[in-house]
């Protein structure tokens, strides 16, 4: 029997997260206060985050210990499996070997619980009673709702109106975990009421939902705010993915020539590749590292590397990142988790340093890849993950053309069980590709703040 | 760190299924031909099933080798994890230890692929081009669709009309795997047309869908029929669950005092408990074994142990089983997989022999248990599996009352990702308990064939 699953026992869950900031040849540009445009300090963030997470945000330590209660929860699904996609290899008739790390085994169905659990834990330790957050597609909201249930925290989720209406099952999952879910914009917050007054009947956006969640956290000393991607501490928590994978690839007796992940805010990509980049910086890995983004929202391939706001309403600090402009509203692709105008500062930084490359995939190619993957491997990927699948298949077909063996590794960051409407639309021929929205992006970029 | 996951490596996937027929103190009553009422032979079943499966149906061998290509596919998710439900134990404040075997890790989300893969394989080996089947809730249909994609078979699914309309996402999953899904009753078959002529606008039923699937298989030499539960060979394939669990409980250094499973057709229950019953028959296990069925469809606790038809239209052979009468239409509980008038002959037989006991759970208690489980363990169970969860919680609370330790083991046979509408309805207070439908069952039982 051929081995297709490379598993580690529970006691091989990493004991520390890997902090790439310790190994960067050039440090990150600091975040700036939206009012003063000066670098912010820990106290500026204290109303929103517990101090442990703020310290992780700026830490330069290489190894940051994972608290035992967090590892204990991780043990529910970690170490997650590494698969060799042998049936997909056969279907593609490629000489390449394809491995994928599968994060859909978490109870919430994606990599998001890796940070949700850690954030809930640190908040609980520092006396937080309630967490507020936003969610688009719902992967993040359901992960935080689950983590809050585990640690006895209340959870308040502002869910983008269009998702709230179109994805009742994601909402039902959050509510099953005990979270309170409100469609955003809502009448519960000033931000929400102000938007509703201006645009009655709006679909909402992630930017608006962030404003609502931040507002309630800022106003209530018992409530803090949690974010599911972009920030350094979020990416840090995801590095368990790559740390485990390095051990599992060793079990497989193999090393990746190319590593592929999809990028929206950047957290699943960073989770897999940062530990490998740590090796690469030290000359211990030769792997090409490829970020795959949707052609409709190409922050890494078409954005500017500049200071910008994290939200549409300009309440957050400014960070230096690849951005399409904070007022850019990405087209309505079904990979809702990739519809973000910016990119994690750390991912932007390693692209700028030449440590990774970036490419785009069109929506129809992403779904075609997902269907091909499902028929070969059984798992139906999330629309976001389809971009990584498409990127990996592209590499495998190049290997076939060139007639040479190559080892491809990608991150299958979540399953698509709550995204089946997008597959129905795809199979019915109702989806379309989106051209690069050049004009809208040019306009949004013209509005970038004049900083740095 | 406390261990909560007991995993086996890929090479510990069982090499043989366990056939309980070899160890039964009294043999099964034979199936009878619906026309002659005489015991049927292999040739009677040849139009519907490949010979390898027909031989497994009647085999008295204890160990039946699992073909390598089947084990190779199993390796995608097997050995499945055994969990210690430590957070649930704490939430219940019980001295009992609770373990659960989790079959939701299969790509289709339940235990059904254990037999779907085997059935697709044997059919492929004997030259079948296409499989036809019925599905209600869709767990079985999506598993067979996946297995057919793996082995290059066409797959035709007749999906009960009401599920077809209410569960578009299950259907989308089958179609993503490449299956053709038709609402039943359909105009494609004589059975379907005849029902539609009689009852235009009917919701359909599993009995009708079976008739359609059997009809197309009987008429087309390239098409065979596949069933997802009830038959001996189906239960046989599920025994990988219990065989792995015995090894995993040994890893945990523990032995079950009580084993719990939910029962509809009987296959997930048999899969976990038959290997333990094999030990029990030899005096090597002392475990109580409890089948949990819905109060609305209580074949084991209220049915007759008698010869009856497997389908409503009386096309199938007669088997001796616990039955509520083949014309009984169970109330519309959300656990669609447990809405069957009969019970697997083997499960009925071991109940009759006193090797297992049976109990019922009401719909609202089942969902309450599911919500409690999700908040403690993260996994949202399928409505069917909620009956096993409720049964296990009941045992844990008895242990608490009695103030004694007890080791409880149950089968969490699938997740509820495609069943969220039922959770929405439950949380909105729209679900109800169903009283035992005494009159309808009495009427259906009065119509039992006068055999045996």
């Amino acid at each position: 029997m051929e081995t297709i699953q490379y598993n580690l026992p529970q006691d091989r869950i990493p004991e520390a997260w890997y902090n790439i900031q310790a190994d960067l040849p050039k440090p990150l540009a600091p975040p700036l206060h939206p009012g003063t445009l000066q670098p912010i300090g820990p106290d500026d963030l204290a109303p929103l985050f517990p101090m442990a997470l703020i310290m992780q945000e700026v830490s330069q330590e290489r190894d940051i210990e994972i608290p035992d209660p967090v590892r204990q929860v991780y043990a529910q699904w970690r170490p997650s499996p590494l698969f060799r996609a042998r049936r997909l290899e056969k279907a593609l008739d490629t000489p390449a070997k394809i491995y994928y790390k599968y994060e859909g085994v978490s109870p919430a169905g994606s990599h998001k619980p890796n940070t949700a659990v850690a954030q809930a834990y640190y908040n609980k330790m520092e006396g937080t009673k309630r967490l507020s957050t936003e969610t688009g597609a719902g992967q993040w909201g359901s992960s935080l709702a689950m983590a809050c249930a585990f640690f006895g925290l209340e959870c308040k989720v502002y869910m983008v109106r269009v998702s709230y209406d179109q994805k009742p099952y994601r909402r039902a999952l959050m509510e099953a975990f005990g979270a309170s879910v409100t469609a955003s914009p809502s009448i519960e917050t000033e931000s929400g009421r102000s938007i509703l007054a201006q645009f009655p009947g709006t679909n909402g956006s992630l930017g608006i939902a962030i404003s609502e969640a931040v507002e309630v956290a800022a106003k209530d000393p018992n409530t803090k705010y949690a974010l599911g991607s972009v920030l350094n501490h979020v990416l840090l928590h995801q590095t368990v993915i790559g740390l485990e994978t390095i051990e599992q690839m060793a079990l497989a007796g193999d090393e990746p020539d190319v590593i592929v992940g999809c990028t929206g805010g950047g957290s699943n990509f960073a989770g897999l590749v940062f530990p490998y980049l740590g090796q690469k910086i030290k000359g211990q890995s030769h792997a090409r590292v490829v970020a795959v983004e949707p052609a409709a929202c190409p922050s890494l391939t078409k954005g500017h590397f500049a200071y910008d706001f994290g939200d549409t309403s300009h309440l957050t600090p400014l960070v230096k990142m690849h951005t399409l402009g904070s007022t850019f509203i990405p087209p309505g692709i079904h990979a809702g988790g990739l519809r973000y105008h910016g990119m994690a500062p750390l991912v932007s930084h390693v692209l700028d340093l030449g440590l990774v490359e970036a490419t785009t995939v069109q929506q129809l190619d992403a779904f075609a890849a997902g269907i091909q993957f499902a028929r070969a491997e059984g798992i139906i990927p999330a629309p976001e993950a389809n971009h990584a699948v498409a990127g990996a298949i592209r590499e495998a077909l190049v290997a076939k053309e060139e007639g040479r063996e190559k080892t491809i590794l990608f991150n299958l960051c979540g399953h698509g069980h709550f995204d089946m409407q997008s597959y129905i639309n795809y199979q019915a021929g109702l989806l379309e590709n989106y051209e690069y929205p050049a004009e809208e992006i040019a306009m949004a970029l013209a509005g970038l703040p004049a900083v740095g």
Side-chain angles (χ1 to χ4, degrees), chain A:
Chain A
M1 194 164 57
E2 296 174 322
T3 304
I4 63 170
Q5 214 182 125
Y6 299 91
N7 285 323
L8 298 172
Q10 180 180 318
D11 60 11
R12 297 306 303 152
I13 294 170
E15 294 180 7
W17 292 296
Y18 168 66
N19 180 13
I20 197 171
Q21 294 196 64
D23 291 322
L24 289 174
K26 191 181 138 189
L28 267 190
L32 306 180
H33 192 283
T36 65
L37 300 185
Q38 294 303 305
I40 55 170
D43 290 348
D44 293 313
L45 296 172
L48 295 185
F49 302 105
M51 202 44 71
L53 292 176
I54 295 171
M55 291 296 108
Q56 289 180 359
E57 193 65 17
V58 296
S59 171
Q60 302 295 311
E61 295 290 319
R62 181 170 294 107
D63 300 309
I64 296 182
E65 195 187 337
I66 305 177
D68 274 347
V70 173
R71 290 181 80 227
Q72 184 68 65
V73 176
Y74 280 175
Q76 177 83 14
W77 70 94
R78 306 214 71 85
S80 67
L82 176 75
F83 288 106
R84 170 93 182 264
R86 291 186 189 267
R87 289 190 301 267
L88 180 63
E89 292 169 14
K90 286 194 191 89
L92 294 171
D93 189 27
T94 175
K97 292 186 271 187
I98 307 176
Y99 293 87
Y100 60 101
K101 179 75 166 170
Y102 184 40
E103 290 292 310
V105 294
S106 82
S110 77
H111 64 294
K112 294 291 187 189
N114 295 332
T115 184
V117 169
Q119 293 189 46
Y121 166 77
Y122 288 117
N123 273 287
K124 182 70 177 182
M125 287 302 99
E126 297 191 24
T128 306
K129 301 288 177 221
R130 193 171 77 139
L131 284 176
S132 70
T133 197
E134 72 292 326
T135 201
Q139 295 271 25
W140 166 243
S142 48
S143 300
L144 191 68
M146 181 187 81
C148 284
F150 290 172
F151 287 103
L153 293 167
E154 288 175 56
C155 184
K156 175 79 197 179
V157 182
Y158 291 92
M159 185 172 191
V160 175
R161 163 60 74 181
V162 60
S163 297
Y164 184 92
D165 292 336
Q166 286 179 353
K167 297 197 161 194
Y169 296 166
R170 266 286 172 204
R171 174 159 49 96
L173 182 59
M174 293 184 253
E175 289 172 346
F177 288 135
S180 161
V181 185
T182 303
S184 167
S186 77
I187 54 166
E188 293 178 359
T189 67
E190 278 181 31
S191 328
R193 286 189 295 270
S194 139
I195 293 281
L196 283 172
Q198 261 186 285
F199 308 101
T202 174
N203 273 337
S205 78
L206 217 38
I208 298 164
I210 292 179
S211 303
E212 294 204 274
V214 167
E215 183 185 322
V216 300
K219 285 185 175 167
D220 175 3
N222 287 320
T223 301
K224 296 228 180 281
Y225 170 69
L227 190 64
S229 189
V230 178
L231 297 178
N232 302 343
H233 69 268
V234 178
L235 275 52
L236 172 77
H237 301 154
Q238 294 296 353
T239 57
V240 288
I241 301 172
L243 292 166
E244 290 173 4
T245 304
I246 287 174
E247 275 204 58
Q248 289 166 308
M249 288 297 296
L251 270 185
D254 230 330
E255 275 196 42
D257 299 306
V258 55
I259 307 173
V260 177
C262 64
T263 46
S267 80
N268 96 75
F269 175 76
L272 175 62
V273 312
F274 278 8
Y276 278 103
L277 291 184
Q279 294 187 336
K280 196 168 171 172
I281 291 166
K282 295 182 199 109
Q284 292 161 2
S285 166
H286 64 279
R288 284 171 53 224
V289 178
V290 183
V292 185
E293 57 185 12
C297 188
S299 56
L300 286 172
T301 52
K302 302 276 192 178
H304 288 189
F305 186 42
Y307 271 104
D308 197 4
F309 292 96
D311 70 326
T312 317
S313 324
H314 297 181
L315 298 176
T316 68
L318 292 144
V319 291
K320 193 170 179 193
M321 61 180 174
H322 283 84
T323 178
L324 299 166
S326 64
T327 56
F328 171 60
I329 308 287
I333 55 169
H334 272 275
L338 307 185
R339 291 180 66 231
Y340 185 61
H341 69 275
M343 180 54 60
L346 275 170
V347 172
S348 298
H349 191 66
V350 295
L351 179 71
D352 188 55
L353 291 172
L355 290 167
V356 309
E357 51 193 278
T359 185
T360 62
V361 164
Q362 277 285 8
Q363 170 153 279
L364 295 182
D365 294 333
F367 275 98
I371 291 283
Q372 182 167 33
F373 186 81
R375 292 185 186 175
E377 298 291 316
I379 300 165
I380 188 107
E384 293 81 6
N386 280 342
H387 291 74
V389 175
I393 289 177
R394 195 185 281 172
E395 294 287 338
L397 293 178
V398 168
K400 181 179 177 179
E401 261 178 45
E402 296 175 350
R404 62 188 187 86
E405 234 192 47
K406 180 161 74 171
T407 299
I408 301 165
L409 165 67
F410 74 96
N411 196 10
L412 190 69
C413 60
H415 62 61
H417 298 173
F418 295 92
D419 304 287
M420 294 309 296
Q421 190 60 48
S422 63
Y423 281 92
I424 292 175
N425 294 353
Y426 171 70
Q427 301 235 86
L430 299 175
L431 296 193
E432 51 182 349
N433 286 333
Y434 289 89
E435 291 310 304
Y436 170 60
E439 254 182 68
E440 292 88 334
I441 290 176
M443 262 179 55
L445 286 174
L448 278 186
V451 196

